[in-house]
Amino acid sequence: MNRDYGAELDALKAQLAELDKLVRHIAGLEGKPAAEEATGRAEKEVFTHGSGNGAESCAIYFSGSYRSGDQTVRLEPQERQSDEVLGLNRAKAAKVLSALGHKQRLDLLLEVWNEALTGAELVERLNMGTTGQLYHHLKALTGADLLIQEERGGRYTVPAHRRFPLLLLLSAVSDLIDTSDYIDMTEARNEAHSYLGAATKEGYDLHQLLWAVVDNSVLEHQAGYCSEVGIYLHDDGSVTVADNGRGIPTRLLPQTGQPAVQSVMTKLDLLGDLKTSFVAPGAEKGISIAVVNALSRTLSVEIRIDGSICRQEYRHGIPQSGLMTVGETNETGTTVTFKPNSDLFAGRFDKAAIEARAGELMEAYPGLRLRIQ
């Protein structure tokens, strides 16, 4: 039997055309051009995704699986409406979040996640000074059905039915993890005196931020990688410090998935050791570059490293973009431009004071050249 493939294809095309016509008729798009169809679809999506009172409305879908020993446990696909999620009992939700937000309790949950452990083993692994402190948290977690004990005096583990909710919660937290740095930066602004010493009636001395940034370049010089530093005063009250050092690393950190420079610019405790930070007279803590970022209204950092020029912008310490590659170069170094927060600092940068400081540094480090412009 000989088949006429051409005729069969023509018949199939005709059927598809008829189906398309029917769908367009049902959707109310009959007679509209393709561009208008696309616009209509987009408008329809915009309107159907919002509720009548202007509040966002959406659904969250989730499913998954994980291996426990030689078993694979699967979570059937589930759906939660945003109204349902946002309408949780707030007092109870706060209790759950505060219970899990305790670091030692989170340590306990994660420590027994893959391996059942006894109380004594947990004390040793987590370096807890006393078993009383441990059992206080264990009692709370077991009472909340977040941990179970095999038998009295036995090992602790996370119940199977609690594993998925905890994984989902931690997944959401991983997308919010950087907010912990921004909260710290807000607190730094509220406690500026601990970094800047005593303030005058007009405010704090903004030169302390500049000395801290220049001090990073001096440290790079002491390490043998920086010979020139340029300080540029701008009409808008901002200042730029540019050096020819190695450049702040830009590689992605596996723990956070963020570039290393972002950690340097946002983690207050990363370089918080007084031995590696500039310390203002009368201050309790050293001023790292992250502190400068926290106390500045705007800051941009440009890094010349590995043949590329990379840049990132910040406002009140919060990144306004990812780390962007903006050019190529054979040079290395770091350029930081910042504008001190006018709510904290008074006046403008004093060129004479900066020149005097630069002279002191060049006298102390003969191989380092500082230029003020």
Side-chain angles (χ1 to χ4, degrees):
M1 178 180 178
N2 294 325
R3 297 178 60 181
D4 188 344
Y5 291 104
E8 290 181 19
L9 286 173
D10 289 340
L12 183 59
K13 288 179 181 178
Q15 291 174 1
L16 288 173
E18 190 66 27
L19 181 61
D20 178 65
K21 183 178 179 181
L22 179 61
V23 171
R24 286 160 60 85
H25 174 72
I26 294 172
L29 300 174
E30 197 168 17
K32 292 185 178 182
E36 192 174 347
E37 284 184 41
T39 303
R41 283 196 300 269
E43 290 176 351
K44 194 175 185 67
E45 286 178 358
V46 169
F47 286 109
T48 56
H49 283 181
S51 61
N53 61 7
E56 291 185 2
S57 178
C58 65
I60 301 167
Y61 304 91
F62 53 93
S63 64
S65 64
Y66 70 90
R67 290 191 61 82
S68 179
D70 58 353
Q71 295 182 333
T72 298
V73 182
R74 298 187 184 280
L75 177 69
E76 293 300 321
Q78 298 191 43
E79 174 185 347
R80 294 283 188 277
Q81 294 295 323
S82 59
D83 294 343
E84 176 188 356
V85 174
L86 298 175
L88 289 174
N89 183 303
R90 297 184 184 183
K92 290 187 176 181
K95 283 185 179 180
V96 173
L97 293 175
S98 62
L100 295 175
H102 194 291
K103 182 180 180 302
Q104 288 185 327
R105 292 180 185 175
L106 191 57
D107 283 341
L108 290 169
L109 286 171
L110 297 180
E111 200 65 35
V112 302
W113 188 268
N114 294 317
E115 180 183 3
L117 297 170
T118 65
E121 289 169 333
L122 285 167
V123 169
E124 183 178 354
R125 290 203 181 187
L126 298 176
N127 296 317
M128 289 186 169
T130 63
T131 56
Q133 184 182 26
L134 169 75
Y135 287 112
H136 169 74
H137 296 306
L138 286 176
K139 184 177 180 180
L141 292 171
T142 54
D145 195 30
L146 292 170
L147 280 183
I148 55 175
Q149 191 175 18
E150 294 173 350
E151 67 273 334
R152 186 171 181 81
R155 298 177 184 275
Y156 293 90
T157 187
V158 178
H161 68 285
R162 295 300 190 189
R163 286 178 174 261
F164 270 114
L166 286 170
L167 284 173
L168 288 170
L169 183 60
L170 292 173
S171 296
V173 168
S174 68
D175 282 340
L176 297 171
I177 200 76
D178 55 353
T179 61
S180 65
D181 297 329
Y182 309 149
I183 290 172
D184 290 343
M185 301 188 97
T186 300
E187 292 176 349
R189 288 192 289 276
N190 294 333
E191 301 174 359
H193 62 277
S194 62
Y195 297 98
L196 300 169
T200 64
K201 292 183 179 179
E202 292 76 22
Y204 294 100
D205 180 7
L206 45 69
H207 294 87
Q208 305 294 358
L209 299 185
L210 177 58
W211 306 151
V213 177
V214 171
D215 192 60
N216 284 323
S217 299
V218 172
L219 290 172
E220 191 74 346
H221 169 73
Q222 289 178 300
Y225 297 100
C226 173
S227 59
E228 293 188 5
V229 179
I231 301 174
Y232 305 90
L233 305 177
H234 306 295
D235 292 338
D236 65 353
S238 63
V239 63
T240 296
V241 178
D243 67 37
N244 64 346
R246 290 168 289 184
I248 301 174
T250 58
R251 67 183 183 278
L252 293 180
L253 298 177
Q255 307 95 314
T256 62
Q258 297 175 345
V261 61
Q262 185 166 322
S263 291
V264 171
M265 302 303 297
T266 58
K267 291 187 180 298
L268 296 178
D269 56 351
L270 189 64
L271 298 174
D273 187 344
L274 297 185
K275 296 179 181 178
T276 58
S277 301
F278 171 82
V279 184
E284 304 168 12
K285 304 175 183 178
I287 306 176
S288 66
I289 191 68
V291 174
V292 175
N293 195 12
L295 303 183
S296 296
R297 185 169 297 277
T298 59
L299 182 146
S300 66
V301 58
E302 183 179 283
I303 304 112
R304 300 171 296 283
I305 192 172
D306 297 332
S308 298
I309 303 174
C310 302
R311 183 178 298 156
Q312 191 169 29
E313 308 284 337
Y314 294 83
R315 185 177 295 274
H316 297 296
I318 299 176
Q320 301 301 294
S321 68
L323 184 64
M324 302 176 293
T325 301
V326 297
E328 298 179 350
T329 183
N330 293 324
E331 300 177 352
T332 61
T334 300
T335 299
V336 175
T337 300
F338 66 95
K339 186 174 183 178
N341 191 330
S342 57
D343 294 337
L344 298 171
F345 299 95
R348 298 172 66 86
F349 288 104
D350 184 343
K351 184 179 179 182
I354 297 171
E355 288 176 338
R357 178 79 171 188
E360 294 173 358
L361 289 172
M362 286 190 287
E363 184 176 348
Y365 304 98
L368 180 64
R369 180 188 176 201
L370 285 92
R371 295 177 289 105
I372 296 91
Q373 184 173 323

